[in-house]
Amino acid sequence: MIRLRALAPAATVLALAACGATTPPAPLHTGLRAADVVRELPAHGVNATLGAIYQEEGISGASFQSDEIAVTGPGGGPGDFVTGGLIQVFADENAAAEHAKGIATAASQPPEHTYRVGNVLLRISKGLPEVDARRYRTAVEEILRQD
């Protein structure tokens, strides 16, 4: 009986240490360019073909097309936002947040699903139902966590 009483405090300490030992998730920030993120999307379970690429000061951007988005929309060509989306990678999270805020306030009903994941802004055609658009957000999170 004495042995069990002596083990109880040690078991409690081990249990508490195990609870506090969980490591926080990796930060959601990437040094990748937007085109690199688009190229990674298919490996994470979503359809995407790289479209136009651009670079501005502090922002890299890349559009993408997707058969699963084009099917739900009216169709279009490689530069047609209705058939896909846009990835924008900002220098930091604050710049991405400010840009997302500007999009949200510019229109009473934004023309696309917009998600900010760390310093990345993901914009997807409203032709895709939100439940499917969230799959793209999850893919971007996975890409950023492995970067």
Side-chain angles (χ1 to χ4, degrees):
M1 199 65 154
I2 294 174
R3 289 183 194 162
L4 291 178
R5 285 187 203 159
L7 291 177
T12 302
V13 168
L14 286 174
L16 290 174
C19 290
T22 57
T23 57
L28 293 176
H29 182 89
T30 187
L32 294 173
R33 293 185 179 270
D36 298 325
V37 176
V38 171
R39 287 183 190 105
E40 289 283 328
L41 288 172
H44 293 270
V46 292
N47 183 279
T49 304
L50 184 61
I53 301 170
Y54 70 91
Q55 180 73 40
E56 293 177 14
E57 190 174 331
I59 306 171
S60 77
S63 65
F64 63 90
Q65 283 67 53
S66 167
D67 292 339
E68 54 191 356
I69 297 173
V71 168
T72 61
D80 188 352
F81 190 72
V82 173
T83 64
L86 177 67
I87 300 258
Q88 295 173 299
V89 178
F90 293 83
D92 58 46
E93 293 183 29
N94 290 336
E98 284 298 313
H99 195 79
K101 185 177 168 184
I103 292 169
T105 58
S108 61
Q109 187 70 1
E112 70 261 348
H113 303 286
T114 304
Y115 306 103
R116 185 180 64 83
V117 183
N119 67 321
V120 175
L121 199 58
L122 169 63
R123 300 165 64 183
I124 301 175
S125 169
K126 280 279 193 179
L128 189 66
E130 183 156 354
V131 67
D132 295 323
R134 279 188 245 141
R135 291 178 38 243
Y136 283 83
R137 182 185 194 280
T138 299
V140 169
E141 286 176 346
E142 291 171 0
I143 293 165
L144 269 58
R145 288 196 195 286
Q146 73 184 18
D147 178 33

